[in-house]
Amino acid sequence: MTARILIIAGSDSGGGAGIQADIKTVTMLGGHAMTAVTAITAQNTLGVQSVHQIPTEIVLAQIDSVVSDIGIDAVKIGMIGSAETANAVAAYLERLSPLPEREGPGVGRPLRERDTSPKPTHPQSLPSRGGSRLPIIFDPVMIATSGSVLADSDTIAAFTRLMRIATLVTPNLPELAALGGEAAIRALGQAVLVKGGHAEGPHITDRLVTNAGESRWTNPRIETRHAHGTGCTLASGIATGLAQGLPLDAAIERAIAFVRAALASAPGLGAGHGPMGHALGTSPFDQWKDRQCPA
């Protein structure tokens, strides 16, 4: 069964980050991407020119529409839009119950709308808290690659509730500092993937910290200005892996490898921080067509 990933995030009109990067990542890794758009941004490779926040009730309606019919195997949360939306999304996800009607993992309608008879739990044991075993990856987006602010102080304060229900929180170094440091996140009981891209040096080290200990991935830095959307891509890649049943370490390792491949395949668009090449310089349809109709 195709893994179903719900993406709760903002729209990037330039196609480099946000739900556009998320959809491309999930699709390239073999999942089915669904979205609940929290904000619409007017942005390009030079920066963010305007932001329109989607009303909280519309964000919840999008989530409910997807959950009640298609079902979800994992959630990726990115730009959340507002403190009100952050709290409402957290409350919704806390109420999700396992989905008994469909094969495989996933969840359906909120528990308050369903009967309370015993239901199967998600088959994978993951370090998440709250009302379900649903993998939830929270990328605490605060500032765009261009430097534009995407979350105000009230919204950042509301991140705590989202972190409490997350399987994994994926801050970069500036975001980690804004959230009070590694110890503050770990005090909530969550696994943390500290992304090292903002550190100086020829290598990047990403660190996963869980109750079981610490894992590290160190890779040579790919020097490019076309790195817009790396955080979104990484988080969506991890969510897809978990939805497909990969262990957390394996999901992270594959997602890092995909980010690096996309960086190396960047098409070189725009005058600023350009998008990565999620298609990896290929046309998947043409490859499929060639396999179906060999010369």
Side-chain angles (χ1 to χ4, degrees):
M1 184 175 182
T2 301
R4 304 157 293 182
I5 295 85
L6 172 62
I7 300 152
I8 304 172
S11 170
D12 172 0
S13 59
I19 60 168
Q20 286 81 357
D22 296 323
I23 293 169
K24 288 182 279 189
T25 300
V26 171
T27 302
M28 286 295 292
L29 294 179
H32 174 66
M34 305 167 291
T35 61
V37 181
T38 59
I40 298 173
T41 69
Q43 68 175 291
N44 52 31
T45 67
L46 299 175
V48 178
Q49 291 79 45
S50 184
V51 177
H52 173 69
Q53 294 181 0
I54 302 299
T56 298
E57 61 269 23
I58 300 301
V59 176
L60 294 180
Q62 293 174 83
I63 298 172
D64 203 50
S65 180
V66 168
V67 169
S68 63
D69 173 38
I70 300 171
I72 53 179
D73 299 308
V75 177
K76 181 263 180 170
I77 303 173
M79 179 184 179
I80 199 65
S82 69
E84 179 186 4
T85 297
N87 284 310
V89 167
Y92 189 106
L93 295 178
E94 287 168 353
R95 293 195 300 266
L96 285 180
S97 62
L99 179 67
E101 294 90 348
R102 299 179 186 275
E103 296 179 358
V107 294
R109 295 185 180 89
L111 187 59
R112 59 181 167 78
E113 297 178 8
R114 305 177 65 82
D115 66 83
T116 56
S117 59
K119 299 177 177 65
T121 58
H122 193 282
Q124 187 177 18
S125 179
L126 292 167
S128 76
R129 301 171 70 179
S132 82
R133 293 289 184 181
L134 177 70
I136 299 173
I137 309 302
F138 177 39
D139 181 22
V141 175
M142 300 178 190
I143 300 175
T145 303
S146 63
S148 301
V149 176
L150 298 177
D152 60 23
S153 58
D154 289 340
T155 302
I156 294 171
F159 282 178
T160 297
R161 192 168 180 187
L162 290 170
M163 290 190 289
R164 286 187 185 278
I165 64 169
T167 301
L168 178 70
V169 183
T170 63
N172 59 33
L173 294 177
E175 291 164 349
L176 184 67
L179 293 171
E182 183 180 311
I185 300 176
R186 290 289 297 129
L188 300 173
Q190 310 316 307
V192 183
L193 180 64
V194 180
K195 300 177 293 191
H198 284 75
E200 298 292 333
H203 291 83
I204 294 175
T205 296
D206 302 307
R207 296 188 302 111
L208 171 66
V209 184
T210 70
N211 292 335
E214 181 174 308
S215 300
R216 291 175 177 243
W217 293 267
T218 300
N219 292 285
R221 185 183 299 275
I222 298 174
E223 296 292 347
T224 177
R225 64 180 173 86
H226 300 290
H228 186 43
T230 51
C232 302
T233 299
L234 181 65
S236 285
I238 297 169
T240 304
L242 293 181
Q244 292 166 332
L246 292 179
L248 184 57
D249 276 32
I252 292 172
E253 184 167 349
R254 183 178 72 158
I256 290 174
F258 180 71
V259 170
R260 293 181 59 78
L263 282 170
S265 304
L269 303 176
H273 299 282
M276 298 183 293
H278 288 84
L280 309 182
T282 68
S283 171
F285 171 72
D286 288 341
Q287 293 178 353
W288 175 88
K289 183 177 63 174
D290 290 343
R291 289 195 301 269
Q292 300 300 312
C293 305

